[in-house]
């Protein structure tokens, strides 16, 4: 069974641009969560989706948004990029929201210049 | 609110030596506890987890962790470290949206 896949793996953008990151969960997994990882703040929860609905959201500005499709694939979008958005964005999937074990993808490394 | 503290930012050990990575947590109820490992450029891989039952938990790659409620700790151990264990290790607490510690970087000397 294939693991969680994230595309692209690396991305370079400039301030003010927007970016869309994609995550394909493990087959059969219906819950997808997104995390931002930076050296300064560590791993921080962004949001979680299940059945195309956002169930939980972390403490991030509205520039960060996401969605989930009927096949459980998820995208996150960051608009009006700032230098501080440079980070590794990790996606994790689980069978159900109540499932306590998440499987992480390799992440997308976003660099904002 | 739940929180996790990993007191050691870096740990250096010699190959073949034993290892213990510390983790202290704050959680209102019986905690769900996790240890993850992250190799450079990779995502997080679950090493082991504790939900209930036996307080000594066995994980993958020869790792184990012990839950001590009285000390609010969940330390990760390995009896003999291999060079391939060099990585970043994260402790996490919580249910399906865990709170992560800041990580401990393990350096292994030959």
């Amino acid at each position: 069974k294939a693991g969680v896949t994230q595309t692209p793996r690396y991305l370079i953008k400039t301030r003010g641009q927007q970016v869309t990151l994609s995550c394909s969960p493990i087959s059969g997994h219906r819950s997808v969560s997104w995390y931002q990882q930076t050296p300064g703040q560590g791993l921080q929860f962004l949001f979680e989706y299940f059945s195309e609905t956002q169930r939980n959201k972390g403490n991030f500005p509205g520039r960060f948004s996401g969605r989930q499709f009927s096949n459980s694939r998820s995208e996150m979008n960051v608009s009006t990029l700032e230098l501080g958005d440079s980070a590794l964005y990790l996606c994790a999937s689980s069978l159900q929201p109540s499932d306590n074990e998440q499987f992480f993808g390799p992440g997308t490394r976003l660099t904002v210049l | 609110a739940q929180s996790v503290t990993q007191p050691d930012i870096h740990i250096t050990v010699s190959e073949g030596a034993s290892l213990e990575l510390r983790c202290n947590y704050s959680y209102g109820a019986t905690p769900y506890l996790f240890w993850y490992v992250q190799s450079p450029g990779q995502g997080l891989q679950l090493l082991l987890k504790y939900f209930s039952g036996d307080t000594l938990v066995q994980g993958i790659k020869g790792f184990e962790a012990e839950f001590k409620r009285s000390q609010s700790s969940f330390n990760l151990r390995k009896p003999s470290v291999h060079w391939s264990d060099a990585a970043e290790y994260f402790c996490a607490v919580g249910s399906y949206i865990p709170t992560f510690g800041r990580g401990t970087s393990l350096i292994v000397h030959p």
Side-chain angles (χ1 to χ4, degrees):
Chain A
K1 186 182 282 190
V4 178
T5 58
Q6 293 187 244
T7 57
R9 291 293 311 277
Y10 302 91
L11 205 51
I12 299 176
K13 292 286 187 178
T14 57
R15 280 179 297 175
Q17 287 187 309
Q18 74 165 18
V19 66
T20 299
L21 312 181
S22 179
C23 171
S24 293
I26 292 172
S27 177
H29 285 197
R30 298 172 62 197
S31 178
V32 173
S33 297
W34 288 90
Y35 295 84
Q36 182 196 64
Q37 185 178 24
T38 60
Q41 299 297 319
L43 271 153
Q44 297 186 90
F45 170 75
L46 278 158
F47 25 64
E48 182 214 6
Y49 287 88
F50 175 72
S51 292
E52 303 177 64
T53 302
Q54 187 181 92
R55 287 174 49 90
N56 288 286
K57 189 176 192 303
N59 189 25
F60 278 82
R63 300 185 297 106
F64 291 81
S65 62
R67 59 178 175 169
Q68 186 181 36
F69 302 94
S70 58
N71 61 358
S72 296
R73 189 177 69 86
S74 178
E75 289 180 348
M76 67 163 282
N77 183 277
V78 188
S79 63
T80 319
L81 284 166
E82 301 176 359
L83 295 179
D85 297 333
S86 294
L88 182 67
Y89 290 89
L90 293 165
C91 168
S93 76
S94 58
L95 283 166
Q96 303 285 343
S98 58
D99 191 339
N100 290 292
E101 182 165 353
Q102 296 184 319
F103 295 83
F104 283 81
T108 294
R109 172 72 65 186
L110 172 64
T111 302
V112 182
L113 302 176
Chain B
Q2 60 197 40
S3 66
V4 177
T5 301
Q6 293 181 246
D8 304 305
I9 298 174
H10 303 284
I11 289 276
T12 301
V13 299
S14 298
E15 190 169 17
S18 64
L19 170 70
E20 183 169 30
L21 301 182
R22 296 184 291 165
C23 171
N24 293 99
Y25 68 88
S26 174
Y27 194 75
T30 300
Y32 294 87
L33 293 159
F34 308 84
W35 273 101
Y36 289 88
V37 61
Q38 185 178 33
S39 297
Q42 300 298 315
L44 276 68
Q45 180 182 23
L46 181 66
L47 285 174
L48 46 80
K49 60 189 177 187
Y50 171 80
F51 294 164
S52 64
D54 192 347
T55 57
L56 186 61
V57 181
Q58 301 298 320
I60 62 172
K61 304 185 179 187
F63 286 92
E64 66 177 27
E66 187 171 12
F67 169 59
K68 293 185 177 180
R69 184 187 300 275
S70 61
Q71 299 177 20
S72 297
S73 70
F74 188 57
N75 293 348
L76 181 71
R77 302 193 294 247
K78 187 171 184 177
S80 178
V81 171
H82 187 263
W83 64 266
S84 60
D85 292 324
E88 192 85 13
Y89 290 80
F90 294 91
C91 181
V93 67
S95 56
Y96 66 96
I97 303 175
T99 297
F100 289 83
R102 298 303 297 274
T104 297
S105 178
L106 175 63
I107 301 163
V108 180
H109 280 170

